[in-house]
Amino acid sequence: MKTPKSIQIEIFDHPDELITKAKETAQKYGVHFLGDTDQGVIRGFGFKADYLFQENVLTITVFRKPAFLPWTTVEEKVRALVNMDPG
């Protein structure tokens, strides 16, 4: 993957709840998650990303993903993980 891609999601829940859930999910699936309610990094299964909270917007920037996985699927899964799946 040559160019990082950012996904921005409006967050309605408190960031503490989202981070707690993300850490639990990461541990369950063996993904490295290091961060807090401001920023952090996520690595595992061919992915490398970071995230940043600014007010009520979560920005996840994906630096590496498996080549066979299309961007639409990556974005769909990210949104589903933060319970913001558009449908």
Side-chain angles (χ1 to χ4, degrees):
M1 187 172 115
K2 297 179 181 180
T3 305
K5 180 170 180 168
S6 293
I7 302 165
Q8 292 188 322
I9 304 168
E10 191 172 7
I11 301 298
F12 299 100
D13 293 332
H14 195 278
D16 285 332
E17 295 172 15
L18 185 59
I19 294 302
T20 298
K21 184 169 61 170
K23 286 182 179 181
E24 290 170 357
T25 301
Q27 183 176 14
K28 179 179 176 181
Y29 291 103
V31 173
H32 177 76
F33 183 101
L34 179 62
D36 55 27
T37 57
D38 293 322
Q39 61 186 357
V41 296
I42 306 158
R43 283 182 284 170
F45 299 106
F47 284 94
K48 181 179 179 189
D50 67 17
Y51 70 88
L52 176 67
F53 279 104
Q54 292 178 308
E55 296 183 23
N56 66 330
V57 176
L58 169 65
T59 302
I60 299 172
T61 303
V62 179
F63 294 96
R64 186 176 62 226
K65 69 168 187 67
F68 64 88
L69 203 58
W71 275 114
T72 54
T73 301
V74 172
E75 186 167 351
E76 177 183 292
K77 295 299 182 185
V78 166
R79 289 183 183 280
L81 283 171
V82 294
N83 291 325
M84 300 300 293
D85 193 348

